[in-house]
Amino acid sequence: MKGGNAVTTMHGGDVEGYRRAYGRAPLDFSANVSPLGLPEGVRRAAAQALAAAGEYPDPLCRALSEAIAAHAGAAPAQVLCGAGAADLIYRLAAALRPRRALLTAPAFSEYEAALRAAACAPEFFLLRPEDGFALTERWLDALTPGVELAVLCQPNNPTGRTVPPALLRRALDRCRDCGAVLLMDECFVPLLDEPERCSLLPRLAEYPNLVVLRAFTKTYAMAGLRLGCALCADEGLLGRMRAAGPPWPVSNVAQAAGIAALRETAYVEALRALIARERPRLRAGLERAGMTVLGGEANFLFFRSPDAALGARLRARGVMVRDCADYRGLGPGYYRAAVRTAPENDALLRALNGGIG
Amino acid sequence: MKGGNAVTTMHGGDVEGYRRAYGRAPLDFSANVSPLGLPEGVRRAAAQALAAAGEYPDPLCRALSEAIAAHAGAAPAQVLCGAGAADLIYRLAAALRPRRALLTAPAFSEYEAALRAAACAPEFFLLRPEDGFALTERWLDALTPGVELAVLCQPNNPTGRTVPPALLRRALDRCRDCGAVLLMDECFVPLLDEPERCSLLPRLAEYPNLVVLRAFTKTYAMAGLRLGCALCADEGLLGRMRAAGPPWPVSNVAQAAGIAALRETAYVEALRALIARERPRLRAGLERAGMTVLGGEANFLFFRSPDAALGARLRARGVMVRDCADYRGLGPGYYRAAVRTAPENDALLRALNGGIG
C-alpha cells in the first residue's frame, strides 16, 4: 500500500487507507465520532464561509473564542483554539517543554508523541487490568514533585473509564501542590450521561495550573474540519501555546462551523439520547458474541476478544474497529468500537458473528 | 480592541481586526492573495467535501500528495502537505532543531518565529537598501560551515526581489557543501512572469538538502482554508517533519480544494495576465503619488513613502496596506501592497491621494 507509515496504524479513522486496500468504503467504528453527521446548521455555516476563503482566517479566532467562552462560562481570553485537540496537545508540550511529564497507559498516543517532539521522555502510570483499567489513588503517589505536566483523559481513551469527581479534585490539588500543569482532556465529556458532574471546567479560575481540552470533532461530527480548544485561566501559558505553532491554526471554515455548532443543542440532545439507547444494546451484543466489555461511558466501548485477529477479520467483512494492540500498556485482543446508529450497530454485531457488516 | 496581541500586528490580512476597529470591511492590499476569489471548481469541491466532514481527514493526504507530485514532476513520497506554508516552516524547524540557521532580513517573520520556537536564535543576512534589497554574492560568504538551515524566499517577501538563477544554483551548492538544508520558499513563484526560470523544483532529486515550499493560499485565494506543501527528495526529513506536529494537519475540505485547484489552469493564466497588466499600472500610480517603488515581480509591490503614518491614514480611508515598519531590517516608511483588480487598484491610488478608497 502506497504512503503507508506509522501514522496509518496508530489511529482509528483511516478511511482512505481502507478504501485503498479494499476498493470500497468501510463502516467505521474505529473513530469515536457522532454517527449523526455534520449538523445541517453547521454545514450551511461552513459552506457560506467558503465565500470568504480568500481572506486569511482570523489568527486569534476572536468570534469563535467569544462563543466558546460564553458556552463554557469562561472569559474569551481563557480560550485558545486549534486545529483539533491534537494541535493544542503539541502546542502545550512545546510551550512547556517539561523535563518530567506523567501520562497514563493506555491513553491517546498523541500525548506521548507531542512530548517526544518536545524532547521529553514521559513517565507512565500503568492502568491495571485488575483495576478494570480505572484510575486509582495510586496515581496521586506517582505524581511526585518535579513532574511539570500530567495528562488525564475523561473518560479515558481507549478504556472508557471516567475518573470519579472526588479523585479528580484530589488530582488537581496534588498537581497544584507539586507545581505541575494538569492537562485534562475532556474531548468526550459532552457525550457522557452526566457531563457537568465529570468536567473540571468550573474549576478553571481556582486552578491556573489546569488546562481543559475540548474538541468539536466527536460531538458534532466535525473530524474532517479540525477544530478544538484549550481553556485555561493562565493567559500567559495560552500565549506561549499560541506562539509555539503557526499563527493561523484554524481555517475560516472551521471557525464558522464552530460558532454554528455551539447553537446545535437539539442535535447534541438527540445524539446523547441515541448513545444512551444504543450503548447498552451494543454492549449486550458484544458480550453475546463472546467479548468481555471492560468500559465505556461515552460514545465508545472498550472490550477484549479471545480472537487477536478479530480486527483484520472485521475489516475483511467491511467493518473497521480500533485494534488497540499498539497502545502502550495493552496488547493483542483489545479493541475499541464507537457507538453508532441502531442499523450500524446491528451491522457490527452481524460482522462479529461472521456475517458481512 | 479585544484580544489584540503581537500576532495581529505582525501579519497582513487581519481583516477581523479591521472590522472590529472600524465597523466595516476594508479593501485589503495587506495580504498578497489572488483578487479573483476562490475558483468556482475549488469552491464546489470544498462544499462537496463537507459531506465527509464526519470522517477524519486522510492524515497522509494521499490523493492530494499524488496530485501535487504529478503537477510538480516529483514522486508522491517527496511531498508533505501542511496547514499552509507556515505549518511546514514550524515542522521543519522542529524536525531539524538547528544550532545555527541563516535567514535574510527583511523576510517573512515566521521563519524566525518557528526557529525561536525550536530554541534556535537565527543569524541574519541583512539585505541592504544600497543593493535595492537584492540578495547578492555576499550571502554565499555568510553561509559558513556549521549553519544547518538556510532560508531563502523567491521572490523575497516583502521586498519583491527575485534571486537570479545563477546565484540560486551557487547558493544550493554552497548549502550542500556546508551540510546545510536550504528551505526555498516559493510561495510566490507561480505568480512570477517566468515561474519555471525561478524555481528550484527541477533540482529536487539532485539536492536532497533542498526543501521547496509551495502554498495554495496566494495563487488560488485559499488563505482561509490553510494548505501548503513541502517538496524534498530526503524522505527521512519529510517523515521527521510529519512527526514534529499533529497527525491530521490538513482538513478534508482543504485536501479536496487542493486537488481541485491544481486543475484550474485557466484561472491561473487569467490571474497572471491580470498581474502583468495591473502591476506596472499600480507601480506607476504609486510613483506618481510620491512613493519610491523598490521591488515587486510577483503580485505585490514594495515601496517607500515619505509619510511614516501612511498605513494608518489609509486604514482610516478604508484601505489596508502592509506597514513593514515591524520587519527586522526595515523601519518606518516601508510598505507592501498586493496587486489587485483594476477598480481595486484605482481605489488604492485614490486613497493614497487623499480620497476614500
Side-chain angles (χ1 to χ4, degrees), chain B residues 74 161 164 166 278 327:
Chain B
R161 300 296 306 256
E278 285 298 312
Y327 275 92

Side-chain angles (χ1 to χ4, degrees), chain A residues 192-258:
Chain A
L192 287 172
D193 295 335
E194 300 178 284
E196 293 76 16
R197 206 178 71 92
C198 293
S199 173
L200 285 180
L201 271 184
R203 307 270 164 188
L204 275 185
E206 197 183 337
Y207 292 88
N209 64 320
L210 170 65
V211 178
V212 173
L213 201 58
R214 290 287 181 113
F216 287 70
T217 310
K218 284 87 184 173
T219 312
Y220 303 103
M222 276 171 57
L225 300 184
R226 314 312 304 135
L227 181 62
C229 63
L231 295 107
C232 180
D234 180 350
E235 297 172 24
L237 176 57
L238 290 185
R240 291 196 299 282
M241 290 171 65
R242 178 177 283 135
W248 301 280
V250 185
S251 74
N252 78 319
V253 170
Q255 291 188 40

Side-chain angles (χ1 to χ4, degrees), chain A:
Chain A
M1 202 167 44
K2 239 189 304 186
N5 76 4
V7 177
T8 33
T9 58
M10 270 179 62
H11 290 290
D14 183 19
V15 171
E16 176 67 12
Y18 187 95
R19 274 198 204 101
R20 288 181 173 230
Y22 290 89
R24 62 177 191 271
L27 185 48
D28 183 20
F29 289 82
S30 73
N32 302 330
V33 171
S34 161
L36 298 179
L38 200 63
E40 176 52 24
V42 174
R43 196 203 54 74
R44 215 164 33 233
Q48 278 166 4
L50 289 174
E55 293 173 13
Y56 276 82
D58 178 6
L60 303 175
C61 303
R62 281 163 278 209
L64 174 59
S65 297
E66 286 160 11
I68 291 170
H71 197 259
Q78 297 174 334
V79 178
L80 180 66
C81 299
D87 180 25
L88 295 158
I89 294 167
Y90 276 79
R91 285 175 184 264
L92 180 62
L96 290 177
R97 297 191 72 78
R99 273 157 302 182
R100 290 180 57 205
L102 180 65
L103 305 182
T104 61
F108 183 47
S109 61
E110 293 301 323
Y111 310 139
E112 178 178 353
L115 283 163
R116 293 202 184 272
C120 173
E123 299 160 30
F124 295 95
F125 176 83
L126 286 177
L127 302 168
R128 299 188 297 199
E130 57 265 39
D131 296 329
F133 293 102
L135 194 82
T136 63
E137 300 202 346
R138 289 189 305 120
W139 184 85
L140 301 172
D141 301 322
L143 194 97
T144 52
V147 169
E148 295 170 64
L149 173 67
V151 183
L152 292 176
C153 185
Q154 174 80 320
N156 190 47
N157 175 12
T159 59
R161 300 296 307 254
T162 48
V163 186
L167 180 54
L168 264 191
R169 271 196 304 279
R170 291 182 62 195
L172 204 40
D173 283 331
R174 179 79 185 148
C175 285
R176 184 184 52 193
D177 296 346
C178 289
V181 169
L182 177 62
L183 174 62
M184 195 70 217
D185 183 344
E186 295 193 350
C187 288
F188 291 103
V189 158
L191 303 178
L192 287 172
D193 295 335
E194 300 178 284
E196 293 76 16
R197 206 178 71 92
C198 293
S199 173
L200 285 180
L201 271 184
R203 307 270 164 188
L204 275 185
E206 197 183 337
Y207 292 88
N209 64 320
L210 170 65
V211 178
V212 173
L213 201 58
R214 290 287 181 113
F216 287 70
T217 310
K218 284 87 184 173
T219 312
Y220 303 103
M222 276 171 57
L225 300 184
R226 314 312 304 135
L227 181 62
C229 63
L231 295 107
C232 180
D234 180 350
E235 297 172 24
L237 176 57
L238 290 185
R240 291 196 299 282
M241 290 171 65
R242 178 177 283 135
W248 301 280
V250 185
S251 74
N252 78 319
V253 170
Q255 291 188 40
I259 293 169
L262 294 172
R263 293 188 209 109
E264 295 285 342
T265 46
Y267 175 97
V268 176
E269 274 169 41
L271 174 60
R272 224 158 18 213
L274 172 74
I275 295 168
R277 210 164 51 231
E278 285 299 313
R279 193 179 53 215
R281 213 175 64 80
L282 183 59
R283 181 181 189 121
L286 288 170
E287 286 170 345
R288 270 197 308 276
M291 312 294 138
T292 309
V293 177
L294 299 162
E297 303 180 39
N299 65 331
F300 60 93
L301 292 166
F302 177 58
F303 59 95
R304 185 149 205 190
S305 164
D307 177 5
L310 179 72
R313 244 186 275 279
L314 289 174
R315 281 171 73 88
R317 292 173 196 151
V319 174
M320 278 163 66
V321 296
R322 177 67 162 93
D323 187 332
C324 297
D326 63 348
Y327 275 91
R328 186 183 286 277
L330 292 178
Y334 287 100
Y335 298 93
R336 192 193 67 198
V339 177
R340 297 191 59 90
T341 62
E344 291 172 317
N345 296 333
D346 288 340
L348 168 58
L349 295 175
R350 271 198 309 277
L352 265 177
N353 292 310
I356 297 295

Side-chain angles (χ1 to χ4, degrees), chain B residues 205-285:
Chain B
E206 197 182 337
Y207 293 89
N209 65 318
L210 170 65
V211 179
V212 173
L213 201 59
R214 290 286 181 113
F216 286 70
T217 310
K218 282 88 183 173
T219 311
Y220 304 103
M222 277 171 57
L225 300 184
R226 315 308 305 133
L227 180 61
C229 64
L231 294 107
C232 180
D234 180 350
E235 297 171 23
L237 176 57
L238 290 184
R240 292 196 298 282
M241 289 171 67
R242 178 176 282 135
W248 301 280
V250 184
S251 73
N252 78 320
V253 169
Q255 290 188 39
I259 292 168
L262 293 173
R263 291 189 210 108
E264 294 285 341
T265 46
Y267 175 96
V268 176
E269 272 168 42
L271 174 59
R272 231 171 357 221
L274 172 73
I275 294 168
R277 211 162 50 229
E278 285 298 312
R279 193 180 53 213
R281 214 175 64 79
L282 182 59
R283 181 179 188 125

